[in-house]
Amino acid sequence: MAISYLNNLNEAQRQAVINTDGPALVIAGAGAGKTRVLTYRIAYLLQKGISAGSILALTFTNKAAAEMKERIAGIAGPEVSRFLWMGTFHSIFARILRKEGSRLGYKQNYTIYDTTDSKSLIRSIIKELSLDDNIYKPGIIASRISAAKNNLITSSMYAADSSMTDYDKSARMPLLSEIYRIYASRCFKANAMDFDDLLLNINILFRDFPEVLSAYQERFKYILVDEYQDTNYAQYLIVNKLAAVHHNLCVVGDDAQSIYSFRGARIENILGFRNDYADYRLFKLEQNYRSTQIIVNAANELIEKNSGQIRKKVFSNNEPGEKICLFRSMTDIEEGINIASDIFDRRYSLKLKWSDFAILYRTNAQSRIFEETLRKKNIPYRIYGGLSFYDRKEIKDLLAYFRMIINPEDEEAIKRSINYPKRGIGDTTLAKILELTSMEDTSVWDILCRINNYPEKFNKGTALKLAGYTEMIKALSVNKDTTDAYAKAGEIAAASGIVRELRNGNLPEEISRYENIQELLNAIKIFTEAAETNGEPSNLEAYMANVALLTDQDTDTEKDSDKVTLMTMHSAKGLEFQYVYIVGMEDTLFPSPKSTGCSKDLEEERRLFYVALTRSKKHATLSYALNRYIWGNLESSHPSRFLREINPEFIDNRQPAKKTGPSFKTDQFKPRPFREETFNYKPSSKLKKLTRTENTVSSANESSDPSEFREGDKVYHERFGTGVIVSIEGNKPNTTATVEFANNNRKKLLLRFAKLNKV
């Protein structure tokens, strides 16, 4: 069988593809073609005669799985590729649990709760326990429960662990373990699992039912894992259990791009692969096909500073490219203006598209200034990772009805749909139903089906409304398994009253919601046709199983629009742009102040910078501000330590056209020994409202007039003490003075706010 596609690979890629037996670790540098290697390796297995059903390929997004499957189909044929077990960790494990979950007490039609559902249920439990939600914050509790599950700690184990319960007590949340217990119980009664349960329950299934584990170990003769550096403890255990018989495990990833520890990802999984499999083979993909030589070389210099890594030397045969621009601004507002102006100028002078540009920042809060400055220049933009299409209220309302048709025991779906459109069923009625479920240890649906048994709880009118809702759900459930998703969705949208409710609206937002419902039905139509063409299930349950497992990248509805992209550095992983602006490069922002006291955390921040820098194909710009507003006060800041870690020969200090001060001195970034005290961030005292009259000498309570000071002046500052002005830069009102205080404590101060006194 022809394997001409192997000619598209370089030698390192080829070796990673054709050596299919035994454990393999493929370290793929940024832009090194890891997706191609994974795809071709699977195609090569198929063409060697390996059965598609015995190959398991795990990814982190449905988008990645779909793209790989499409490429494989082009090589091996769709009739073969359709039998591959390929998808995200959660989708594959959800598929196994649909079949095997009855062993754990779940029905096959279980619901998958998303983050919104989980927080809603936690919020309800907090309210029922009469707890203060300012202390017991649903988001924090949800994160704590998620972390426990990802470390395979069940609610009973959590309650028995004194270190955890003691921590909760110190955080003034002594009942967190009780909330976890009730949450787990309610999910189970609702025949629902959250995302973390999919991992936890697979581990429990394999632990308690060894015959099930054995069956899947025999089935999956070849296992491939993408982005292995992003796996957490639960995923790590599952993968290694499944590979324990045949040992044909190939993991692909880049330790230099491990940036998700806050989600539970463990870099130790990829770094320790050689210890888990002594007979492993290592393949390094070191040729970067994405970026210019300068960007690749600068990124190499940066990541070289990390000690915890598998060493590699990424190179590029692309053009050398432009040097990396370094923009210095006096304030964060000026930074926004500079970036917007540069994008505007480059777009028109180089005849580019807006979508060729991306602005990357460390925290979401930084987007505001860039949004404002881009709007002022009429530059279209989008914020990546904003509200997903599937998170819009009207979409979640209709999806709640879909969930009820599939799994009527879904408590969160009942709460969302029972009184929308309005049926006169209020919170008091719901509270009574939930009280009954607790007393009788049953589900909300069970109480609704027996609502006439509680005349003392519900008057006749309320009972009729509840019964009407129940009968509607039962009627819509008829033929749900045999009717295609599009036909059933249209029926539900009409019968529920949602379409009528939105169609009658005249306000712009109501019209937009109606159009979103139409768009959802369009998406279901596309799903139905594709499923029928591929011979896959096309009913509503199949559609909802797909939707429930979509990731942020899968629900990016604006990916084809011609707009500048704004996003966090974390969100940028896996993407690429022609021109990238990495902003807020200051020690108070990046690295995150929380990381500076821990070398492990600091190394992850450096990996995050590496990821951000390697998103750029043609050109990268780094930007920082000397002063930034924090809580309404203008605070001075210093350039990020990471800037000093890039060789100055890769840096161009050219400033934007509308600069307000002299260009930055290159030697400020020459490598030199790191001094920790240089980066100890001490917020300045709050600035008071300043007033000044003409010809008034500045005092300790007034701002400083820049024209009063000269280099060499001896000055006094109420916080830093006595010092000498070393240099003065910039024009009014952004004149700054560099002052040498005692103990070599050098500060750069904006004179109009510095409150300096001549001594």
Side-chain angles (χ1 to χ4, degrees):
M1 196 172 289
I3 53 173
S4 60
Y5 59 87
L6 293 179
N7 296 331
N8 297 326
L9 303 174
N10 63 39
E11 185 56 29
Q13 292 172 331
R14 181 186 174 90
Q15 291 302 316
V17 166
I18 64 176
N19 289 282
T20 55
D21 293 336
L25 172 60
V26 181
I27 295 297
K34 73 176 177 59
T35 302
R36 173 177 287 189
V37 166
L38 267 176
T39 302
Y40 285 9
R41 187 179 174 101
I42 295 170
Y44 188 77
L45 285 169
L46 292 172
Q47 293 196 336
K48 280 178 61 178
I50 304 300
S51 166
S54 65
I55 299 173
L56 171 64
L58 298 167
T59 67
F60 274 85
T61 67
N62 291 292
K63 177 184 173 184
E67 287 178 354
M68 287 171 58
K69 206 166 189 177
E70 185 177 347
R71 291 190 200 180
I72 293 166
I75 299 172
E79 67 283 352
V80 175
S81 63
R82 61 186 283 193
F83 294 107
L84 288 169
W85 282 68
M86 176 178 282
T88 64
F89 281 89
H90 292 94
S91 66
I92 294 295
F93 300 155
R95 180 178 171 184
I96 293 174
L97 287 168
R98 294 276 177 209
K99 183 179 179 182
E100 311 288 352
S102 59
R103 299 172 186 266
L104 302 178
Y106 290 92
K107 298 173 185 174
Q108 189 176 23
N109 63 337
Y110 69 84
T111 298
I112 298 174
Y113 277 179
D114 63 16
T115 304
T116 303
D117 298 319
S118 296
K119 288 183 181 178
S120 175
L121 179 54
I122 290 170
R123 197 173 287 109
S124 296
I125 295 168
I126 292 169
K127 186 175 180 181
E128 291 160 21
L129 293 176
S130 300
L131 299 174
D132 185 350
D133 59 7
N134 287 318
I135 297 175
Y136 289 89
K137 296 180 178 179
I140 292 176
I141 293 173
S143 296
R144 186 88 170 143
I145 292 173
S146 175
K149 289 182 178 181
N150 284 328
N151 285 284
L152 307 183
I153 300 170
T154 63
S155 58
S156 57
M157 293 166 64
Y158 190 103
D161 191 314
S162 60
S163 64
M164 293 186 178
T165 53
D166 286 346
Y167 176 87
D168 293 339
K169 288 174 185 175
S170 68
R172 298 193 301 150
M173 295 187 291
L175 292 179
L176 198 151
S177 63
E178 177 66 3
I179 294 172
Y180 184 8
R181 183 191 68 78
I182 297 172
Y183 174 79
S185 173
R186 292 273 277 276
C187 284
F188 186 76
K189 282 195 290 186
N191 191 33
M193 299 186 206
D194 61 26
F195 267 47
D196 300 312
D197 284 325
L198 296 174
L199 304 180
L200 175 62
N201 285 332
I202 279 286
N203 274 289
I204 293 173
L205 178 71
F206 288 166
R207 180 197 68 190
D208 295 350
F209 299 92
E211 69 279 12
V212 175
L213 172 60
S214 178
Y216 285 99
Q217 286 174 330
E218 285 300 327
R219 172 188 287 270
F220 300 131
K221 293 180 172 59
Y222 290 86
I223 300 173
L224 302 95
V225 184
D226 191 15
E227 304 287 9
Y228 192 62
Q229 77 281 349
D230 293 338
T231 54
N232 61 27
Y233 179 61
Q235 291 163 330
Y236 166 81
L237 284 184
I238 296 167
V239 167
N240 284 278
K241 284 178 183 176
L242 289 173
V245 172
H246 296 290
H247 294 277
N248 294 322
L249 171 63
C250 174
V251 302
V252 182
D254 184 5
D255 55 285
Q257 297 186 65
S258 178
I259 59 173
Y260 294 128
S261 65
F262 65 96
R263 295 181 186 170
R266 301 169 74 246
I267 193 173
E268 294 82 5
N269 294 350
I270 195 167
L271 295 180
F273 188 85
R274 65 191 92 182
N275 299 322
D276 294 333
Y277 299 92
D279 58 339
Y280 87 108
R281 296 191 66 175
L282 175 64
F283 302 94
K284 294 182 181 181
L285 309 183
E286 297 175 301
Q287 183 172 354
N288 180 304
Y289 290 93
R290 175 191 300 150
S291 307
T292 64
Q293 293 179 26
I294 280 183
I295 291 170
V296 170
N297 292 338
N300 281 344
E301 284 228 350
L302 174 76
I303 204 64
E304 184 65 27
K305 307 299 187 295
N306 273 8
S307 58
Q309 63 172 299
I310 298 171
R311 302 284 173 182
K312 60 183 179 298
K313 188 67 174 179
V314 180
F315 67 94
S316 171
N317 288 333
N318 295 338
E319 61 182 355
E322 295 180 64
K323 288 187 176 183
I324 297 168
C325 277
L326 180 64
F327 282 4
R328 180 195 66 172
S329 303
M330 298 306 298
T331 66
D332 48 356
I333 296 173
E334 185 182 279
E335 180 183 42
I337 295 170
N338 287 338
I339 299 297
S341 297
D342 198 65
I343 290 174
F344 187 90
D345 293 343
R346 284 182 182 271
R347 195 263 189 182
Y348 286 105
S349 64
L350 300 176
K351 296 180 172 57
L352 302 170
K353 296 184 294 184
W354 294 121
S355 55
D356 289 331
F357 299 91
I359 300 174
L360 309 184
Y361 36 75
R362 182 62 180 82
T363 65
N364 279 306
Q366 290 170 256
S367 73
R368 180 191 63 80
I369 285 173
F370 298 101
E371 288 185 70
E372 291 178 359
T373 54
L374 291 173
R375 276 201 299 266
K376 286 177 181 176
K377 281 192 167 289
N378 293 318
I379 298 176
Y381 68 89
R382 66 176 183 127
I383 298 194
Y384 188 100
L387 185 65
S388 157
F389 177 80
Y390 292 94
D391 284 334
R392 294 181 169 106
K393 179 187 181 301
E394 61 277 9
I395 301 301
K396 292 190 79 68
D397 288 338
L398 185 51
L399 292 181
Y401 277 94
F402 294 175
R403 287 163 52 176
M404 284 300 299
I405 304 310
I406 297 165
N407 173 25
E409 292 175 301
D410 185 338
E411 179 181 324
E412 289 306 303
I414 291 174
K415 283 154 61 175
R416 190 164 196 113
S417 62
I418 198 167
N419 197 41
Y420 181 78
K422 290 190 180 298
R423 298 185 178 89
I425 302 170
D427 292 343
T428 302
T429 300
L430 267 176
K432 290 179 181 179
I433 295 172
L434 290 171
E435 184 182 357
L436 286 169
T437 64
S438 180
M439 290 170 55
E440 300 186 15
D441 194 26
T442 188
S443 68
V444 173
W445 180 250
D446 181 48
I447 299 296
L448 288 174
C449 291
R450 298 184 291 110
I451 202 67
N452 291 325
N453 294 354
Y454 306 97
E456 73 286 355
K457 287 276 189 182
F458 309 100
N459 61 43
K460 190 174 181 180
T462 301
L464 279 172
K465 293 170 186 173
L466 293 170
Y469 168 79
T470 306
E471 291 306 314
M472 176 185 66
I473 297 299
K474 289 179 178 178
L476 289 170
S477 300
V478 174
N479 300 326
K480 65 180 175 63
D481 296 324
T482 55
T483 306
D484 71 67
Y486 178 69
K488 180 56 71 175
E491 181 187 352
I492 295 168
S496 64
I498 289 178
V499 170
R500 183 175 61 252
E501 173 95 355
L502 296 177
R503 187 170 52 206
N504 293 335
N506 295 315
L507 297 174
E509 59 267 25
E510 293 172 327
I511 295 171
S512 176
R513 289 174 190 148
Y514 179 68
E515 291 170 346
N516 286 337
I517 294 295
Q518 288 181 313
E519 183 59 29
L520 176 63
L521 294 176
N522 291 340
I524 298 173
K525 178 69 171 176
I526 294 169
F527 166 84
T528 302
E529 291 176 347
E532 290 173 349
T533 300
N534 296 325
E536 298 171 349
S538 63
N539 58 20
L540 194 64
E541 183 172 351
Y543 172 74
M544 287 303 293
N546 178 64
V547 169
L549 294 163
L550 292 177
T551 67
D552 291 345
Q553 288 193 24
D554 299 320
T555 57
D556 179 21
T557 56
E558 286 193 276
K559 54 192 169 190
D560 297 322
S561 60
D562 187 21
K563 298 179 180 179
V564 175
T565 298
L566 277 65
M567 58 167 55
T568 64
M569 298 177 200
H570 283 99
S571 298
K573 187 170 176 291
L575 303 176
E576 58 184 38
F577 302 90
Q578 298 289 338
Y579 293 82
V580 170
Y581 295 80
I582 304 172
V583 300
M585 293 294 301
E586 299 140 35
D587 63 335
T588 53
L589 273 177
F590 189 46
S592 167
K594 294 179 182 178
S595 70
T596 54
C598 173
S599 61
K600 184 178 178 181
D601 292 345
L602 188 60
E603 290 204 351
E604 176 154 333
E605 289 286 292
R606 188 177 286 111
R607 293 194 294 269
L608 182 58
F609 185 22
Y610 177 85
V611 166
L613 188 56
T614 54
R615 297 313 92 198
S616 47
K617 298 171 71 173
K618 290 281 187 185
H619 187 258
T621 297
L622 310 178
S623 174
Y624 68 95
L626 291 174
N627 301 277
R628 185 172 295 275
Y629 279 96
I630 300 174
W631 296 105
N633 299 309
L634 195 66
E635 306 280 3
S636 63
S637 53
H638 303 281
S640 169
R641 68 185 73 189
F642 292 153
L643 293 175
R644 290 211 307 269
E645 295 177 353
I646 298 177
N647 193 315
E649 71 179 75
F650 302 132
I651 300 292
D652 176 6
N653 294 293
R654 175 181 61 81
Q655 294 300 298
K658 295 184 179 180
K659 61 183 180 180
T660 57
S663 60
F664 200 83
K665 294 180 181 177
T666 306
D667 62 2
Q668 189 153 348
F669 289 107
K670 284 183 179 176
R672 56 181 181 271
F674 172 68
R675 290 173 54 202
E676 186 65 38
E677 64 270 22
T678 308
F679 295 94
N680 286 338
Y681 173 55
K682 298 177 181 178
S684 63
S685 58
K686 290 186 177 180
L687 297 170
K688 300 174 183 177
K689 278 192 174 181
L690 305 173
T691 57
R692 187 173 67 225
T693 58
E694 288 291 319
N695 303 318
T696 303
V697 179
S698 59
S699 69
N701 293 318
E702 296 173 329
S703 58
S704 307
D705 184 349
S707 63
E708 294 179 3
F709 298 95
R710 300 285 184 273
E711 291 182 5
D713 282 354
K714 193 173 184 180
V715 293
Y716 175 82
H717 187 279
E718 62 181 353
R719 180 175 165 202
F720 303 118
T722 302
V724 176
I725 295 178
V726 177
S727 63
I728 295 177
E729 298 175 337
N731 303 314
K732 286 186 181 181
N734 295 319
T735 307
T736 63
T738 300
V739 184
E740 185 89 25
F741 293 103
N743 300 319
N744 295 318
N745 184 16
R746 183 170 289 201
K747 298 290 182 183
K748 183 164 286 190
L749 305 172
L750 194 62
L751 282 177
R752 60 182 167 137
F753 292 132
K755 296 187 261 187
L756 290 176
N757 275 331
K758 285 187 180 180
V759 176

